Amino acid sequence: MNDKLQKLLDEYKQNYDKFGFGHYLDFDHTESALKIGLVGCFYLDKSYKAEKRQAINQVLALYDKNWGDHLTHGFGNGDSNTLYRYQNISLAQKIILNNGFCLDTLSFYWSNVDKLYLIPDYLIKVLSRSESLEKEFNTVSYLQFYLPIYELKYFGVDKMVEFIQQVSQILKPLHGFFGLGIRQRYKYYDYQYLEGELARKYLGLDISTDEEDIHFRDGFKSINWLTILNEELFTEKLGSLDEVKRKNSDEGVIFHPYDGGVVVQAGEVPEFCDVGRNPYPEHYVNANALLKNARAPWIASFGFTSNNGKIQDSQTSKEWQSRFDDVTPTDLPQEESEEE
């Protein structure tokens, strides 16, 4: 295991109590309202089409191949009132079930928890709107998954990058991300007011709430360890890949092309971006500078940011999106002053 990964895991372990909040009804302090971990999300256009539904099935099979042993409960028919045992339904049966929704909204949720008020460590979920709903509201669909941070060690950092590249190749999303983020229970809105607090302390965390936001059609949400852009968005907003590479002077910002787009890696491992220690890592700042013109100009509210119902509006959301803009990296070695 490399030194940077070990440092990341040590930081996670040392600050574990700061990275989450307890469930307000959990008097035994065994449940959490929010957790930090690895989060990936891929935003999809026209996901109601047969080829897109097939691609979703392929990604489910890929996740199942790598982490299916951890999945225990969930639903595959959009009905969260009845949870099924994951292992009681074969992968082939799940895929048949998914195909049955080609003309309707497809929604499934498979995780390692047996109650939806618990936060999964392992999760794959999809919300793929029907053609009529997508055309009426112009929202995007998405596929999202969770993994524990320790999978960077067990699965491997390089292998994880290859996995994200493979998923991007299959889904051909508008854009997406993978890195550190806030993991939530199924009814995420119960604790939205706590997310803003965590996000202000750790700038490297993604806030995942309204992933159907119509404004995601205009660009990606925010920089993360891995940022995925499709070819059309990349070339329209940034120019050719070769042009962007020529502008890049940071060896830690790496481009991983796939057929239909590119995965941009900001540093060897993800960063928490702790405001008290290292809020602006060099690779995040530099990747953000290269890609920010392809960012959605603004997005709607992430949700409630206080327990008295204060809503984080589009302006505060925009401030969060641009937190790495026009800043000086904080992890650069300090130049020694010349002695007179």
Side-chain angles (χ1 to χ4, degrees):
M1 183 167 56
N2 64 54
D3 292 341
K4 289 186 178 180
L5 177 56
Q6 185 62 63
K7 184 178 179 181
L8 174 71
L9 297 180
D10 289 344
E11 184 178 0
Y12 176 76
K13 185 177 180 180
Q14 291 165 6
N15 294 278
Y16 182 80
D17 291 340
K18 301 176 183 178
F19 290 151
F21 294 90
H23 191 295
Y24 71 97
L25 292 178
D26 177 29
F27 302 111
D28 296 325
H29 305 290
T30 58
E31 298 174 15
S32 297
L34 298 173
K35 287 184 178 180
I36 302 305
L38 297 173
V39 178
C41 197
F42 302 79
Y43 302 90
L44 309 174
D45 180 40
K46 298 182 177 63
S47 67
Y48 51 79
K49 289 190 172 183
E51 59 268 26
K52 285 290 188 180
R53 294 288 170 89
Q54 291 170 6
I56 289 170
N57 287 334
Q58 284 183 262
V59 175
L60 174 60
L62 191 61
Y63 191 97
D64 178 87
K65 176 183 176 182
N66 291 305
W67 300 289
D69 289 345
H70 297 282
L71 302 178
T72 61
H73 291 81
F75 57 86
N77 56 1
D79 182 7
S80 61
N81 293 311
T82 303
L83 298 187
Y84 299 92
R85 289 187 178 275
Y86 183 82
Q87 304 301 341
N88 285 357
I89 308 173
S90 70
L91 179 62
Q93 289 173 314
K94 294 184 186 79
I95 288 175
I96 291 172
L97 181 63
N98 291 350
N99 288 339
F101 287 84
C102 280
L103 298 178
D104 203 348
T105 292
L106 168 64
S107 174
F108 65 73
Y109 181 103
W110 297 108
S111 77
N112 70 313
V113 299
D114 60 355
K115 298 178 180 63
L116 293 181
Y117 61 78
L118 300 175
I119 300 175
D121 291 319
Y122 294 88
L123 163 74
I124 179 167
K125 64 180 286 192
V126 162
L127 182 58
S128 171
R129 290 299 187 189
S130 65
E131 181 175 6
S132 59
L133 286 175
E134 183 171 318
K135 287 183 176 179
E136 180 178 358
F137 298 104
N138 203 30
T139 56
V140 299
S141 297
Y142 66 91
L143 181 148
Q144 185 181 65
F145 58 80
Y146 292 170
L147 292 169
I149 191 172
Y150 289 102
E151 285 294 346
L152 290 172
K153 174 182 177 181
Y154 302 135
F155 192 70
V157 172
D158 293 340
K159 196 174 176 183
M160 191 69 76
V161 174
E162 292 173 3
F163 173 76
I164 298 302
Q165 193 175 7
Q166 186 177 6
V167 171
S168 302
Q169 171 72 51
I170 294 170
L171 290 176
K172 292 184 169 50
L174 295 167
H175 48 81
F177 70 86
F178 179 79
L180 294 172
I182 299 175
R183 288 188 279 128
Q184 306 153 322
R185 61 208 293 261
Y186 178 70
K187 294 183 178 180
Y188 60 84
Y189 41 81
D190 286 350
Y191 294 101
Q192 285 183 345
Y193 69 94
L194 296 175
E195 291 176 318
E197 184 175 340
L198 269 179
R200 284 187 288 271
K201 292 178 180 177
Y202 303 100
L203 304 185
L205 301 181
D206 177 77
I207 305 176
S208 301
T209 53
D210 182 12
E211 301 294 20
E212 291 186 273
D213 194 327
I214 187 175
H215 302 98
F216 288 149
R217 291 192 174 279
D218 301 323
F220 72 94
K221 177 166 62 173
S222 177
I223 201 75
N224 208 303
W225 178 48
L226 302 179
T227 304
I228 303 130
L229 302 175
N230 75 1
E231 187 173 13
E232 182 179 356
L233 176 62
F234 194 97
T235 55
E236 179 182 335
K237 299 293 182 68
L238 305 174
S240 70
L241 179 57
D242 287 339
E243 289 172 338
V244 175
K245 282 183 174 180
R246 283 195 291 271
K247 295 177 183 177
N248 178 37
S249 59
D250 185 347
E251 294 182 355
V253 177
I254 305 169
F255 298 86
H256 304 277
Y258 62 87
D259 183 15
V262 62
V263 177
V264 183
Q265 180 179 349
E268 192 172 344
V269 297
E271 297 271 5
F272 287 109
C273 308
D274 183 345
V275 296
R277 187 184 60 81
N278 182 23
Y280 305 120
E282 177 185 13
H283 306 314
Y284 275 51
V285 172
N286 291 337
N288 178 73
L290 288 170
L291 304 180
K292 67 180 181 180
N293 286 341
R295 197 169 63 207
W298 71 288
I299 55 180
S301 167
F302 285 120
F304 300 101
T305 57
S306 72
N307 57 10
N308 64 6
K310 178 183 176 183
I311 295 178
Q312 180 163 301
D313 58 25
S314 58
Q315 181 57 42
T316 52
S317 296
K318 186 176 179 63
E319 290 171 0
W320 177 81
Q321 283 183 284
S322 58
R323 64 201 183 282
F324 293 112
D325 292 358
D326 305 318
V327 296
T328 301
T330 52
D331 59 352
L332 294 176
Q334 298 295 319
E335 294 183 6
E336 296 183 3
S337 58
E338 295 183 3
E339 295 184 2
E340 295 183 359

